Amino acid sequence: MQEAVATKDKYKVIGPVYDLLSTLYSGRSIHNCKVAMLNPQHLQPGDRILFAGVGHGKDAIHAAELGAQVTVVDLSETMLRKFQEQLDRENKQFRYPIRKLHLDIFKVDEAEQYDMVVANFFLNVFSENMMKDVLRHLTSLAKPGGRIVVGDFTDTTGNLLSRLAKKAYWYVAVTLFWAMAKNAFHKIYNYPQYMEELGLTIEERKYFKLLNMDCYWSVLGRKPN
Ligand SMILES: C[S@@+](CC[C@H](N)C(=O)[O-])C[C@H]1O[C@@H](n2cnc3c(N)ncnc32)[C@H](O)[C@@H]1O
């Protein structure tokens, strides 16, 4: 495994219970959002796929089960340890072994190498300007014609009341992660807008509900050829 120079592990405390919190917070919705675009329609056996800020990484394991060549990257040693524990628990054989990088995403210097780059609940960690830089970097890692998938919170649909409820729901999460992992404190980002600004074509959006409100979405953008 490629290793990062030692940095403070911001997910040391909350990392071990991250997936548990996500289930308590959303039921299956977050998980369903994370695997929404990982299906044979979008991902072929042998495709190279990168998971940025992989966390516990059930989505990455799902992609490996489909026969993709999976690379995962995370800055947190704790998160990568939880990912390895998940792999060990599932004890599955994949067509390609999963490649693990313990690195800052900006240190992944593999321009135009990936058929798909996945940012599930990753971009929301950053302040708006930094998020735009990260998204630009992720886009540079995709091959021409490759796909960028962003799974995250949304508040773009519904009436005023439902949008307010979704904002409140987001601010509970962002406050917790701001306090526990020093994530940036910010509004819900409208990811398709930033993706289009980078020249991606939005091909698909799938929504995931909680209490009958679209709280999460998975957005698939295509890089020009
Ligand atoms: C909110 S968690 C999401 C984890 C996972 N993708 C999921 O959906 O459950 C954000 C992840 O990004 C990682 N991360 C934050 N900044 C990073 C960076 N600059 N480079 C790589 N990983 C980073 C964190 O360590 C954490 O595992």
Side-chain angles (χ1 to χ4, degrees):
M1 179 170 67
Q2 206 170 331
E3 291 282 351
V5 275
T7 48
K8 193 163 164 22
D9 185 349
K10 295 183 183 170
Y11 281 76
K12 202 176 174 100
V13 175
I14 206 161
V17 292
Y18 182 87
D19 262 16
L20 174 65
L21 284 179
S22 141
T23 305
L24 291 175
Y25 197 64
S26 81
R28 292 289 288 171
S29 290
I30 287 181
H31 174 75
N32 293 339
C33 173
K34 291 198 282 194
V35 297
M37 302 297 179
L38 305 177
N39 55 52
Q41 188 193 341
H42 299 301
L43 197 62
Q44 304 303 314
D47 277 1
R48 294 197 66 194
I49 178 167
L50 176 76
F51 287 83
V54 69
H56 293 207
K58 289 195 185 117
D59 44 3
I61 294 172
H62 180 79
E65 282 169 345
L66 292 175
Q69 300 188 59
V70 175
T71 296
V72 304
V73 56
D74 206 295
L75 192 52
S76 161
E77 206 176 330
T78 305
M79 286 303 220
L80 284 176
R81 178 170 49 77
K82 294 306 289 182
F83 175 68
Q84 187 58 50
E85 285 172 13
Q86 185 70 32
L87 270 180
D88 294 344
R89 242 191 325 273
E90 297 204 12
N91 192 25
K92 291 186 174 135
Q93 295 298 316
F94 306 121
R95 185 183 297 207
Y96 301 98
I98 296 179
R99 178 171 166 246
K100 281 192 295 171
L101 306 176
H102 179 204
L103 288 177
D104 187 309
I105 190 64
F106 285 113
K107 297 266 166 62
V108 180
D109 182 15
E110 299 178 335
E112 302 194 347
Q113 293 299 305
Y114 291 94
D115 298 283
M116 184 184 277
V117 176
V118 178
N120 276 334
F121 297 85
F122 173 60
L123 294 170
N124 71 34
V125 162
F126 304 103
S127 65
E128 188 172 10
N129 282 339
M130 177 65 105
M131 180 276 290
K132 287 187 195 174
D133 288 347
V134 174
L135 184 57
R136 186 175 299 106
H137 179 62
L138 296 183
T139 303
S140 78
L141 300 177
K143 294 176 182 175
R147 284 139 291 172
I148 307 292
V149 172
V150 177
D152 221 301
F153 287 78
T154 180
D155 64 351
T156 57
T157 60
N159 59 27
L160 182 64
L161 200 61
S162 127
R163 285 177 195 223
L164 284 174
K166 283 185 267 192
K167 285 187 207 303
Y169 179 68
W170 155 252
Y171 280 109
V172 171
V174 74
T175 303
L176 177 69
F177 280 88
W178 167 77
M180 300 297 293
K182 299 195 167 51
N183 287 1
F185 191 86
H186 57 82
K187 64 181 182 182
I188 299 181
Y189 296 139
N190 186 351
Y191 293 100
Q193 186 187 312
Y194 301 103
M195 293 163 82
E196 283 179 331
E197 280 169 19
L198 288 170
L200 301 171
T201 304
I202 305 303
E203 292 193 342
E204 203 169 337
R205 299 165 206 231
K206 289 185 182 170
Y207 292 90
F208 298 86
K209 287 186 187 299
L210 192 73
L211 301 177
N212 213 30
M213 291 182 293
D214 295 328
C215 288
Y216 307 101
W217 59 2
S218 181
V219 181
L220 185 140
R222 169 91 59 180
K223 194 171 164 176
N225 273 304

